[in-house]
């Protein structure tokens, strides 16, 4: 929910937008008529009309009448029962969400209908060529571009994932409704589908009843890849390639990826004790597993599509080799089976048991009752059994000597989808067929005495309390407590631990693998001339799915031993790309380029972009936690207390240890749980390496020793893990990235980087292991909370200049990592505007940037919006690289910025941190204390238990003020700063700065955008009802400061009213007010009641609904 997707289109058709809003609104009205009755709907409509009339009066400048109408509306709301208020809040909240869906849809429709899209690849490539850039320079710059978008789990996505999916479904239906050839019957069916979706939404609980886990958050991020980015990336790369072809004559290379993706979900442990080393390991493996799952689907589709025979000689040879290998494998298997058959025949003839020649009569009939979820494999077996009974043919090779009961056992044991106990209650009577042991890796000869099975050491399956019971033949089943006897049918049962061990045991069973494979698909053709592409891609799928990579990951996830030959699975993306590129080249050389550039090219581009992990996981931890860990180590080694040493002593110690070749941490060291968690995290990083992880980010970094401390802990863990494995750790070392967040740390960022690069070991390490690249992260959220948005923006600008200069002094390339939040108060804003306003030289073809919480869904939730956002990232970075934004024209402008920043910061801090009444005012005037009940994130709202502003996270700080429509964190102090400089006679200088300096212009424009959303009457209502009389004067003073800020922002921009340069945003905001204003009035009333009865769960739920609704109307949370 954000207004920062203005990159998508500059203008939308309000007629079609209004039509869709009316359609969705009328359908919601129809649903509510059925759900809550006509009497209540009359109240809903009356409230809407009152709010609409008040907005109209205020827009016309008739303030007195507007106030009277608003008082009437407030009075009616205060007279409502709790149930009525709850229902009204839900109704208006859904209205606002549906309007948001319509907004997004029409932005996309406008973009699709525009012949020439501004800021597109075609547009920017043409501009650069017109400005004198040569086609060769343009081509090289695009191909070398490295942008990484890092998705984070910051808790700002307020909608449940269930509702997000339903909203996406409605967006798809609106898109379908736009088809000009839609017939009457189709349109009626579409309306019925919309009614069903809206009804489903109304009957769904909007509130999360429990906090998501860190793994849940990671799954949500992976779902964004599956539902949107997986489709968007090939489309985006086609746009880039087509534009390059048009303007330079050369297409984008297939494996070139200007944009990649990273993630903090499951790796960001800063202040979040729920993100443990085990969670990080699980998320990293889960990401790899999902990558292979998506690749499997694509390979299956490709095999169906590439049915042609014509191919290159090299592909033909590869197909021959695959078939020969398959044939020899089958021959060996048949030889083994024959030997086994003879052995078993002898065994069973001795025991008087005959092998079955066919399935028993009626084996396919439903004689079993299943008391748990069955798997697809089980259905396949039953289908084959039925086919045999009907036709006399059986498509698999176990009918002669393996009973159906054994096949079911094998499949259930081996299935990774089995989640519960399974019991089949069958017909009475004893089985005709004996129980057979499973020959696997640990196969032991049968050893029966008196009709009983061998001892537990010689049998594969054993009884337990938690069992899986499957009878052989038509016998009855006994429960887990039965005693085997001649009259009791044989069963197999497993404990959870035994089940895991049997999975591992059977994982190496060639018979299980080959038999089950034949259930899924027919064998390969015998001649390579028949569909060679299918043969090669079939081999790719086998290597990816059946017994290789995905199974290996499943074993790792289950913490089971995993000893596969490295050649049996794909370790790197290059290994997977090799056969795909061979198919591509074969199609091109065979005159089938049009086929090669279709689904196959898309898959190659996906592999190049997502690699084997979809998104590499960053790790983040606070610098103090690393110091605590080194304290424990140095104390254990009697070296003193690390944190008490001065900076030079720390650097000497760290440098000396980094140059050494022995581990620092003794394996027998005993440390506190918090320290152990840090050490375990480094072990996970060492085990999985840079193939799974991206950067190790140090939050609250302030010294060079903070970086070297992490390098030492990383090196030590890799030495320890390498020694245990007896081989080098997989992948390389992680990049260590200092994050400068506070104003103080930002001011010292350049000095820290200079100190680091002056250390010989570190500089050589960067050149050798990270290709001469130093990555530095700058934080927007905490700096804004620390000093105010204006001062934070200026300090970030200067810090980036200083860091770039420091790296240039040592000949090191720099990549700046921007920790931007979703809202403007936390550094958010339109992507293009943000990149174009960076200091010259700070974006040199490389950029990393976070996309947080609600922004992930807003920008990447739909494939169409994702394609546009990816294109905007590419063109903005390209333009900033080849034609950097202008610096300040003269030194005077920098001096004026310093003065504005100084006054602004003093005004901000004197209110927020120095006024003793402010904290209490903040807690009374906003719903900050109640935000924690939203359950929108796994991490706590505060870093520490302190109740002060300092330890409150930036998200609830901004979120709370956004709810009251005061949006204080963005503008507080700005008016004082601008006023102070203007009163000294520099107004004309500020106007010139706004027109000519991109950084200053974007800063003022973003503040103006937020001021357009602020609402003084609504903020005043919160104060009058909720704030103690003794603190209401503070609120009045702040409202006067807001008006001062508006006055001087308009003076600098030259606009007559706010958002004059963004008519579209202004129009959209005005369209939401008839629903948004009553939501704020409801929230004030419910907060008043809740603070008198804070244990009332129904009141709390009603408050949370209003928070959802206001966030939908403001299109921002925190």
């Amino acid at each position: 929910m954000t207004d920062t997707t203005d990159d998508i289109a500059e203008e939308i058709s309000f007629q079609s937008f209004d039509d869709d809003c009316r359609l969705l609104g009328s359908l919601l009205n129809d649903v509510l008529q059925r759900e809550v009755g006509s009497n209540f709907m009359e109240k809903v409509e009356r409230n809407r009309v009152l709010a609409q009339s008040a907005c109209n009066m205020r827009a016309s400048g008739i303030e007195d009448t507007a106030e009277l109408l608003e008082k009437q509306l407030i009075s009616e709301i205060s007279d409502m029962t709790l149930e009525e208020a709850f229902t009204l809040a839900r109704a208006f909240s859904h209205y606002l969400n549906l309007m948001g869906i319509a907004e997004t849809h029409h932005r996309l429709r406008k973009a699709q209908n525009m012949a020439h899209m501004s800021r597109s690849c075609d547009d920017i490539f043409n501009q650069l060529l017109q400005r004198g850039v040569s086609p060769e320079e343009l081509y090289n710059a695009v191909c070398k571009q490295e942008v990484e978008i890092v998705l984070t789990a910051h808790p700002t996505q307020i909608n449940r994932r269930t509702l997000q999916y339903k909203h996406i479904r409605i967006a798809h239906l609106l898109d379908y409704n736009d088809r000009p050839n839609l017939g009457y019957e189709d349109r009626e069916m579409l309306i019925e589908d919309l009614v069903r979706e809206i009804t489903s939404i109304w009957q769904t609980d909007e509130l999360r009843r429990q906090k998501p886990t860190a793994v849940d958050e990671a799954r949500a991020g992976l779902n964004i890849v599956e539902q949107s980015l997986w489709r968007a990336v090939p489309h985006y790369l086609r746009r880039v390639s087509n534009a390059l072809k048009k303007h330079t004559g050369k297409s984008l290379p297939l494996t070139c990826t200007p944009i990649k993706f990273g993630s903090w979900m499951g790796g960001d442990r800063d202040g979040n004790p729920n993100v443990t080393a085990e969670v990080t390991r699980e998320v990293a493996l889960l990401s790899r597993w999902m990558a292979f799952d998506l690749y499997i689907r694509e390979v299956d589709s490709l095999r169906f599509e590439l049915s042609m025979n014509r191919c290159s000689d090299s592909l033909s040879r590869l197909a021959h080799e695959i078939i020969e290998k398959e044939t020899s494998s089958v021959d060996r298997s048949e030889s083994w089976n024959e030997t086994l058959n003879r052995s078993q025949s002898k065994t069973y003839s001795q025991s008087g048991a005959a092998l079955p020649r066919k399935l028993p009569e009626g084996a396919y009939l439903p004689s079993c009752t299943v008391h748990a979820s069955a798997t697809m494999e089980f259905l396949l077996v039953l289908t084959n059994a039925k086919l045999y009974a009907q036709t006399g043919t059986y498509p698999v090779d176990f009918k002669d000597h393996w009973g159906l009961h054994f096949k079911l056992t094998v499949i259930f044991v081996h299935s990774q989808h089995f989640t519960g106990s399974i019991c089949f209650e069958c017909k009475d009577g004893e089985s005709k067929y004996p129980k057979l042991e499973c020959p696997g890796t640990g196969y032991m000869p049968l050893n029966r005495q008196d009709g009983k099975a061998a001892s537990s050491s010689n049998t594969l399956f054993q009884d337990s309390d938690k069992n899986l019971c499957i009878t052989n033949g038509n016998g009855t089943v006994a429960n887990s407590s039965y005693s085997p006897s001649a009259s009791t049918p044989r069963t197999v049962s497993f404990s959870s631990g035994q089940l895991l061990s049997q999975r591992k045991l059977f994982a190496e069973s060639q018979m299980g693998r080959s038999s089950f494979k034949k259930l899924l698909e027919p064998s390969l053709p015998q001649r390579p001339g028949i569909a060679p592409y299918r043969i090669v891609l079939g081999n790719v799928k086998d290597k990816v799915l059946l017994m290789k990579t995905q199974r290996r990951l499943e074993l790792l996830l289950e913490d089971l031993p995993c000893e596969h030959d490295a050649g049996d699975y794909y370790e790197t993306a290059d290994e997977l790309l090799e056969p795909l590129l061979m198919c591509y080249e074969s199609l091109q050389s065979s005159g089938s380029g049009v086929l090669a550039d279709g689904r196959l090219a898309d898959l190659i581009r996906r592999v190049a972009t997502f690699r084997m992990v979809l998104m590499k996981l960053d790790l983040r931890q606070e610098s103090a936690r690393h110091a605590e860990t080194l304290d424990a180590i140095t104390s254990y080694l009697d070296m003193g207390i690390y944190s008490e040493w001065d900076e030079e002593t720390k650097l000497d110690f760290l440098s000396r240890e980094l140059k050494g070749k022995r581990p620092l941490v003794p394996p027998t060291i005993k440390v506190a749980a918090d320290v152990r968690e840090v050490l375990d995290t480094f072990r996970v990083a060492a085990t999985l390496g840079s193939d799974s992880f991206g950067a190790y980010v140090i939050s609250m970094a302030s010294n060079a020793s903070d970086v070297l401390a992490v390098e030492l802990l990383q090196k030590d863990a890799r030495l320890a893990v390498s020694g245990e494995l007896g081989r080098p750790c997989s992948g390389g070392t992680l990049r260590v990235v200092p994050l400068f967040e506070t104003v103080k740390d930002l001011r010292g960022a350049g000095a820290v980087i200079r100190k680091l690069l002056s250390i010989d070991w570190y500089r050589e390490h960067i050149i050798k292991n990270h290709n001469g690249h130093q990555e530095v992260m700058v934080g927007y959220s905490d700096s804004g909370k620390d000093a105010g948005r204006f001062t934070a923006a200026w300090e970030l600008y200067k810090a980036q200049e200083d860091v770039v200069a420091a790296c240039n002094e040592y000949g090191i390339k720099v990549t700046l990592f921007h920790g931007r939040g979703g809202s403007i108060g936390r550094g958010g804003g339109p992507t293009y505007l943000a990149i174009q306003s960076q200091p010259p030289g700070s974006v040199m073809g490389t950029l990393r940037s976070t996309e947080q919480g609600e922004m992930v869904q807003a920008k990447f939730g739909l494939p169409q919006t994702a394609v546009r956002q990816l294109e905007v990232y590419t063109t903005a970075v390209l333009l900033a690289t080849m034609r950097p934004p202008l610096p300040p024209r003269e030194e005077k402008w920098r001096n004026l910025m310093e003065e504005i920043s100084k006054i602004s910061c003093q005004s901000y801090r004197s209110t927020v941190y120095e006024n003793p009444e402010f904290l209490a005012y903040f807690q009374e005037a906003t719903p900050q204390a109640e935000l924690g009940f939203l359950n929108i994130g796994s991490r706590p709202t505060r870093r520490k238990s302190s109740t002060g502003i300092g330890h409150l996270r930036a998200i609830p700080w901004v979120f709370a003020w956004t709810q009251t429509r005061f949006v204080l964190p963005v503008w507080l102090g700005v008016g004082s700063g601008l006023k102070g400089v203007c009163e000294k006679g520099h107004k004309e200088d500020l106007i010139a700065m706004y027109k000519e300096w991109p950084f200053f212009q974007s800063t003022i424009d973003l503040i103006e955008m937020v001021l357009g959303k602020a609402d003084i009457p609504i903020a005043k209502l919160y104060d009058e009802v909720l704030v103690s009389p003794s603190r209401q004067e503070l609120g009045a003073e702040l409202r006067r400061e807001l008006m001062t800020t508006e006055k001087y922002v308009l003076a600098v921009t030259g606009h007559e009213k706010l958002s004059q340069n963004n008519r579209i945003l202004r129009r959209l905001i005005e369209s939401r007010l008839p629903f948004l204003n009553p939501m704020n009035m409801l929230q004030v009333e419910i907060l008043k009641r809740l603070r008198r009865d804070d244990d009332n769960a129904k009141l709390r739920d009603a408050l949370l609904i209003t928070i959802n609704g206001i966030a939908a109307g403001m299109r921002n949370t925190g």
Side-chain angles (χ1 to χ4, degrees):
M1 295 176 293
T2 176
D3 279 320
T4 60
T5 51
D6 294 272
D7 300 321
I8 295 172
E10 291 73 20
E11 192 171 340
I12 65 175
S13 166
F14 280 108
Q15 180 58 54
S16 55
F17 167 69
D18 290 339
D19 289 344
D20 275 351
C21 285
R22 278 193 290 271
L23 171 63
L24 295 176
S26 65
L27 293 179
L28 178 58
N29 281 336
D30 293 343
V31 170
L32 293 179
Q33 287 281 357
R34 292 196 309 271
E35 296 288 336
V36 300
S38 57
N39 290 339
F40 185 78
M41 283 306 297
E42 290 176 5
K43 290 187 178 182
V44 171
E45 183 61 15
R46 176 173 171 76
N47 280 280
R48 189 196 66 78
V49 170
L50 280 171
Q52 179 71 71
S53 301
C55 291
N56 293 341
M57 293 298 103
R58 199 173 291 282
S60 302
I62 311 174
E63 296 289 337
D64 292 343
T65 305
E67 287 184 15
L68 287 174
L69 290 169
E70 287 169 352
K71 286 180 180 178
Q72 176 70 22
L73 179 56
I74 291 168
S75 175
E76 295 201 8
I77 287 174
S78 64
D79 290 339
M80 285 184 175
T81 65
L82 173 57
E83 191 62 39
E84 288 175 331
F86 182 81
T87 306
L88 180 66
R90 292 192 67 210
F92 279 5
S93 177
H94 287 308
Y95 275 118
L96 289 165
N97 274 308
L98 292 175
M99 289 180 70
I101 296 169
E103 284 181 31
T104 301
H105 170 63
H106 283 284
R107 292 177 190 275
L108 292 173
R109 175 164 56 191
K110 181 66 178 178
Q112 291 166 357
N113 293 335
M114 290 179 70
H116 182 75
M117 176 71 68
S118 68
R119 302 169 185 171
S120 66
C121 289
D122 186 43
D123 176 40
I124 299 302
F125 292 177
N126 182 60
Q127 284 187 35
L128 288 170
L129 292 173
Q130 295 295 323
R131 295 182 191 181
V133 175
S134 71
E136 191 66 24
E137 288 176 319
L138 174 61
Y139 181 82
N140 290 335
V142 173
C143 292
K144 292 177 181 178
Q145 190 174 105
E146 295 179 11
V147 175
E148 186 169 356
I149 300 170
V150 181
L151 309 185
T152 79
H154 284 70
T156 61
Q157 176 50 264
I158 203 165
N159 279 329
R160 291 179 58 198
R161 203 186 319 165
T162 297
L163 292 176
Q164 292 174 41
Y165 288 151
K166 294 179 188 297
H167 293 168
I168 289 172
R169 171 68 176 156
I170 290 174
H172 289 323
L173 290 170
L174 288 179
D175 185 51
Y176 188 68
N177 191 43
D178 286 340
R179 296 186 180 184
N181 60 345
L182 202 62
Y184 173 80
E185 185 176 341
D186 288 337
R187 200 171 298 279
E188 287 297 307
M189 292 174 64
L190 181 143
I191 296 298
E192 290 176 7
D193 285 342
L194 281 171
V195 169
R196 274 188 283 272
E197 291 297 333
I198 293 172
T199 302
S200 174
I201 287 172
W202 179 259
Q203 295 180 0
T204 299
D205 187 2
E206 299 98 322
L207 304 177
R208 292 183 176 92
R209 296 301 173 178
Q210 58 186 19
K211 280 183 174 290
T213 66
V215 176
D216 291 335
E217 291 171 335
R219 287 196 187 100
L222 294 174
N223 285 335
I224 288 290
V225 175
E226 182 178 15
Q227 80 185 25
S228 176
L229 291 176
W230 191 253
R231 292 168 55 193
V233 163
H235 189 175
Y236 147 74
L237 289 172
R238 283 177 185 274
R239 281 196 185 181
V240 177
S241 184
N242 291 340
L244 271 182
K245 180 75 172 177
K246 175 181 176 181
H247 294 286
T248 71
K250 293 187 287 187
S251 300
L252 186 74
L254 267 183
T255 56
C256 181
T257 55
I259 290 182
K260 293 185 179 179
F261 300 92
S263 173
W264 278 13
M265 303 178 187
D268 182 8
R269 60 230 321 114
D270 176 22
N272 189 352
N274 300 308
V275 180
T276 63
E278 182 56 33
V279 164
T280 296
R281 176 183 175 276
E282 185 176 338
V283 168
L285 293 174
L286 185 64
S287 181
R288 294 179 75 90
W289 186 94
M290 186 169 178
F292 284 104
D293 190 55
L294 291 170
Y295 290 142
I296 289 161
R297 300 181 210 173
E298 292 301 320
V299 170
D300 271 338
S301 298
L302 263 180
R303 293 179 71 196
F304 179 80
E305 181 177 296
L306 300 183
S307 56
M308 60 290 306
N309 299 334
R310 191 167 54 194
C311 68
S312 65
D313 291 341
S314 59
L315 192 77
S316 178
R317 285 194 298 272
L318 178 60
H320 272 288
E321 293 171 5
I322 292 169
I323 286 186
E324 289 172 3
K325 184 178 179 181
E326 178 74 14
T327 303
S328 63
S329 175
V330 170
D331 290 343
R332 287 195 302 272
S333 176
E334 288 176 352
S335 173
W336 184 85
N337 284 341
E338 288 174 7
T339 304
L340 181 64
N341 287 344
R342 288 195 297 271
S343 172
Q344 289 175 338
S345 296
K346 181 177 179 181
T347 300
Y348 284 112
S349 64
Q350 291 173 352
S351 63
L355 287 170
R357 294 292 178 185
K358 63 179 182 178
L359 291 176
E361 194 100 17
Y364 64 91
L365 295 177
S367 58
C368 298
T369 303
V370 182
H371 292 310
S373 60
T375 62
M376 181 61 73
E377 293 92 334
F378 170 59
L379 295 177
L380 285 168
V381 174
L382 290 189
T383 300
N384 282 300
K386 183 173 182 178
L387 180 63
Y388 173 81
Q390 290 174 339
T391 66
T393 62
Y394 205 82
V396 292
D397 64 351
F398 58 80
K399 64 180 183 294
D400 292 331
H401 53 270
W402 300 108
L404 177 60
H405 72 286
F406 167 67
K407 273 298 163 185
L408 291 178
T409 300
V410 167
I411 287 167
F412 278 119
V413 171
H414 192 54
S415 170
Q416 300 298 331
H417 305 290
F418 173 68
T419 56
S421 63
I422 301 175
C423 179
F424 299 96
E425 296 176 356
C426 304
K427 299 175 182 177
D428 293 336
E430 187 162 350
S431 169
K432 302 176 184 178
Y433 307 117
K435 175 182 177 182
L436 302 179
E437 307 300 336
C438 171
T441 305
Y443 171 68
M444 298 291 290
L446 297 174
N447 179 19
R448 299 177 180 275
Q449 296 178 357
D450 301 326
K452 295 184 179 180
S455 66
S456 60
S457 62
N458 289 340
T459 57
L460 182 64
F461 306 130
Q462 328 232 333
D463 297 333
S464 71
D465 293 334
K466 295 179 180 179
N467 57 12
L468 163 69
C469 300
I470 307 175
T471 65
N472 53 358
N474 296 325
T476 57
V477 71
N479 61 29
S480 60
S481 60
Y482 83 104
S483 300
S485 66
S487 61
T488 306
R490 298 173 181 85
T491 69
V492 290
S493 57
F494 304 89
S495 68
S496 59
Q498 289 170 324
L499 188 60
L500 293 178
S501 64
Q502 301 311 324
R503 283 180 180 174
K504 166 59 181 167
L505 184 62
F506 189 72
E508 304 302 329
S509 167
Q510 179 61 36
M511 168 152 297
R513 291 199 296 271
S514 60
S515 298
F516 185 60
K517 175 182 173 182
K518 291 177 182 179
L519 291 175
L520 293 176
E521 55 187 86
S523 59
L524 291 170
Q526 296 303 306
R527 296 193 312 276
I530 300 177
Y533 298 98
R534 288 183 170 178
I535 294 170
V536 172
L537 291 172
N539 185 59
V540 169
K541 181 185 174 184
D542 289 349
K543 199 168 186 181
V544 173
L545 170 65
L546 292 180
M547 50 189 172
K548 312 295 180 186
T549 315
Q550 201 173 44
R551 180 164 300 155
R552 176 175 176 264
L553 291 169
E554 289 164 355
L555 292 171
L556 288 171
L557 276 166
E558 292 176 346
D559 235 0
L560 291 173
C562 179
E563 297 177 2
H564 284 282
D565 189 299
D568 286 347
Y569 58 86
Y570 289 119
E571 187 70 41
T572 67
D574 291 339
E575 294 173 1
L576 179 55
L577 280 171
E578 185 178 350
L580 299 178
L581 289 170
M582 183 178 288
C583 289
Y584 182 86
E585 291 161 3
S586 173
L587 286 168
Q588 290 283 5
S589 65
S590 303
S592 302
V594 66
L595 296 173
D597 290 327
R599 189 186 293 272
L600 177 57
D602 287 348
L603 177 56
I604 291 170
R605 284 177 166 144
R606 286 183 175 114
V607 176
T609 300
F610 295 110
R611 311 299 286 179
M612 313 304 268
V613 293
L614 296 184
M615 302 182 289
K616 283 192 176 184
L617 188 62
D618 279 3
L619 306 178
R620 183 169 78 133
Q621 183 57 280
E622 190 178 359
S623 58
R625 294 290 301 276
H626 307 133
E628 291 171 6
T629 302
L630 286 173
D631 281 349
I633 295 169
T634 55
S635 296
Y636 182 84
L637 297 173
D638 294 327
M639 300 173 66
I641 299 176
Y642 171 83
S643 60
E644 295 180 356
W645 301 345
D646 61 37
E647 178 67 7
E648 287 304 318
T649 305
K650 290 178 181 178
L651 291 175
D652 288 343
F653 164 73
L654 294 168
S655 300
R656 186 172 61 253
E657 290 296 331
L658 283 165
K659 292 174 184 176
K661 296 183 178 180
R662 58 164 178 76
L664 173 67
V665 183
T668 57
I669 189 172
K670 289 183 171 54
V671 293
D674 285 352
V675 173
R676 174 53 59 192
E677 180 57 40
V678 172
L679 294 174
D680 288 347
T681 299
F682 280 103
R683 284 184 64 85
V684 169
T687 303
L688 299 179
S690 59
D691 293 336
S692 293
F693 297 114
Y696 192 109
V697 179
I698 311 165
S699 58
M700 296 298 174
S702 56
N703 294 293
S705 61
D706 293 332
V707 175
L708 293 189
V710 172
E711 292 284 11
L712 177 58
L713 292 171
Q714 178 177 208
K715 174 208 164 190
D716 200 81
R718 289 178 67 84
L719 284 174
V721 170
S722 177
E724 293 170 8
L725 295 176
R727 58 175 174 79
C729 293
S730 61
T733 61
L734 274 57
R735 307 186 308 274
V736 178
V737 180
L739 166 54
F740 302 103
E741 301 176 83
T742 66
V743 168
K744 178 184 176 183
D745 291 341
L746 286 169
R747 289 171 177 168
V752 170
I753 299 303
R754 285 185 180 86
K755 185 65 178 178
L756 275 171
L757 295 178
S758 70
I759 299 171
D760 292 340
W761 178 91
Y762 185 78
R763 190 173 60 258
E764 292 167 5
H765 166 71
I766 288 293
I767 294 170
K768 177 183 177 183
N769 296 312
H770 301 301
N771 200 27
H773 250 97
Q774 172 65 56
E775 187 174 323
V776 177
M777 185 172 184
V778 289
Y780 289 67
S781 298
D782 285 295
S783 58
K785 185 168 70 71
D786 185 32
R789 185 71 264 143
F790 193 94
T791 298
W794 179 232
E795 293 298 337
L796 284 160
Y797 187 92
K798 293 190 298 179
Q800 291 176 69
E801 287 182 320
D802 202 13
V803 166
V804 170
C807 289
N808 288 341
E809 290 169 16
Y810 287 90
I812 298 294
K813 301 172 186 175
V814 62
T815 296
L816 288 167
F817 184 4
H818 299 266
R820 302 173 66 232
S823 65
I824 292 168
R826 294 178 47 246
T831 303
Y832 193 89
L833 186 64
I835 295 173
Q836 283 298 295
S837 61
Q838 299 303 312
S842 64
V843 182
M844 297 305 293
T846 64
L847 178 83
R848 290 189 93 212
S849 181
T850 60
E851 293 290 359
Q852 304 180 3
E854 62 182 347
M855 299 302 299
V856 175
Q857 184 66 35
K859 290 187 176 183
F860 305 109
L862 293 173
Q864 304 96 308
T865 59
V867 169
R868 178 60 176 158
Q869 286 298 318
L870 297 176
E871 195 172 17
V872 165
Y873 263 105
T874 296
T875 57
V877 169
L878 181 67
L879 203 56
T881 300
M882 306 199 77
R883 290 293 181 267
L886 295 172
R889 190 182 69 192
E890 50 188 290
E891 189 64 25
K892 181 181 180 181
W893 288 6
R894 297 183 71 94
N895 295 334
L896 287 174
M897 279 297 299
E898 285 289 349
E899 189 167 353
I900 296 170
S901 175
K902 181 180 177 181
I903 298 171
S904 176
C905 183
Q906 287 175 347
S907 174
Y908 177 90
R909 291 192 64 85
S910 66
T911 298
V912 174
Y913 292 100
E914 296 170 13
N915 189 327
E917 295 293 322
F918 181 80
L919 179 59
Y921 170 78
F922 170 58
Q923 292 170 338
E924 289 178 346
T926 72
Q928 181 268 325
E930 291 80 10
L931 293 178
F933 294 108
L934 283 170
N935 293 325
I936 59 176
S938 66
R939 72 181 191 179
T941 57
R942 292 181 177 273
R943 281 193 169 93
K944 298 180 181 178
S945 58
S946 167
T947 58
I949 300 291
H951 290 135
L952 179 68
R953 288 188 182 273
I955 289 174
W957 166 246
V958 176
F959 196 167
W961 289 113
T962 304
Q963 285 285 301
T964 67
R965 313 264 293 279
F966 208 21
V967 288
L968 175 143
V970 180
W971 56 261
L972 183 59
V974 176
S976 298
L978 294 176
K979 178 183 177 182
V981 171
C982 286
E983 287 179 346
K984 291 181 180 180
H986 298 297
K987 179 179 176 181
E988 294 304 317
D989 291 313
L990 295 183
I991 293 173
M993 289 165 64
Y994 178 78
K995 291 179 179 179
E996 300 179 33
W997 189 10
F999 165 73
F1000 185 73
Q1001 183 185 74
S1002 68
T1003 302
I1004 296 297
D1005 281 347
L1006 290 174
I1007 292 169
E1008 183 183 9
M1009 183 190 297
V1010 172
L1011 291 174
K1013 291 185 176 184
D1015 193 301
I1016 289 178
I1018 291 294
K1020 183 180 178 182
L1021 176 64
Y1022 280 82
D1023 282 6
E1024 291 175 343
V1025 176
L1026 301 173
V1027 176
S1028 303
S1030 61
R1031 300 188 186 96
Q1032 288 190 8
E1033 179 54 34
L1034 175 57
E1037 182 183 330
L1038 290 171
R1039 290 193 294 276
R1040 288 192 292 271
E1041 175 71 15
L1042 173 57
M1043 289 187 284
T1044 299
T1045 304
E1046 290 181 4
K1047 174 184 174 180
Y1048 283 95
V1049 164
L1050 292 175
V1052 170
T1053 61
H1055 299 155
E1056 293 182 4
K1057 56 184 179 179
L1058 295 171
S1059 301
Q1060 182 177 313
N1061 64 334
N1062 196 338
R1063 295 179 298 105
I1064 309 306
L1065 176 61
R1066 186 176 184 83
R1067 171 68 172 79
L1068 292 173
I1069 292 173
E1070 289 171 353
S1071 69
R1072 304 169 198 157
L1073 293 180
F1075 302 101
L1076 181 56
N1077 287 350
M1079 289 294 286
N1080 281 108
M1081 296 170 185
L1082 266 170
Q1083 186 176 88
V1084 170
E1085 176 63 26
I1086 292 169
L1087 273 170
K1088 182 178 74 174
R1089 298 185 192 184
L1090 184 61
R1091 289 174 181 178
R1092 295 171 183 168
D1093 184 13
D1094 58 5
D1095 291 329
N1096 191 322
K1098 187 73 172 179
L1099 268 174
R1100 185 179 295 118
D1101 282 356
L1103 175 66
L1104 299 181
I1105 294 294
T1106 65
I1107 292 174
N1108 283 3
I1110 294 168
M1114 293 292 284
R1115 306 281 276 162
N1116 276 121
T1117 53

